[in-house]
C-alpha cells in the first residue's frame, strides 16, 4: 500500500517538474527571440504607437 502511494506521488511530482522545465524552455526561447529581433520589435512598436497617436478619432 505504501509503495503504491509513493509511486503515485512520485509520478505527480515528476509531471510538475516537467511542466516547470517546459515553461523554462519557452521563456528561454522567448527571451532569445526578443534579443535577436530587438530592433525590429522596437521599430514595429514605435511605428504602431506613432500611428495611433497621430490618428484622429
Amino acid at each position: 500500500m505504501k509503495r503504491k502511494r509513493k509511486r503515485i506521488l512520485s509520478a505527480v511530482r515528476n509531471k510538475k517538474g516537467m511542466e516547470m522545465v517546459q515553461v523554462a524552455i519557452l521563456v528561454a526561447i522567448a527571451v532569445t527571440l526578443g534579443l535577436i529581433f530587438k530592433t525590429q520589435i522596437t521599430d514595429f512598436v514605435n511605428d504602431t504607437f506613432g500611428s495611433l497617436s497621430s490618428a484622429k478619432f
Side-chain angles (χ1 to χ4, degrees):
M1 187 69 145
K2 287 185 180 183
R3 287 184 183 177
K4 226 180 211 185
R5 184 173 181 227
K6 284 184 181 182
R7 285 184 187 173
I8 292 171
L9 289 176
S10 176
V12 170
R13 288 183 189 135
N14 287 339
K15 288 180 185 177
K16 287 181 183 178
M18 286 301 294
E19 290 174 5
M20 290 300 293
V21 170
Q22 291 170 350
V23 169
I25 290 171
L26 290 174
V27 168
I29 290 171
V31 168
T32 302
L33 288 174
L35 291 174
I36 291 172
F37 297 109
K38 181 180 177 184
T39 56
Q40 290 89 346
I41 293 170
T42 304
D43 291 341
F44 173 76
V45 170
N46 288 335
D47 291 343
T48 302
F49 281 113
S51 296
L52 287 174
S53 64
S54 68
K56 297 178 182 177
F57 289 102

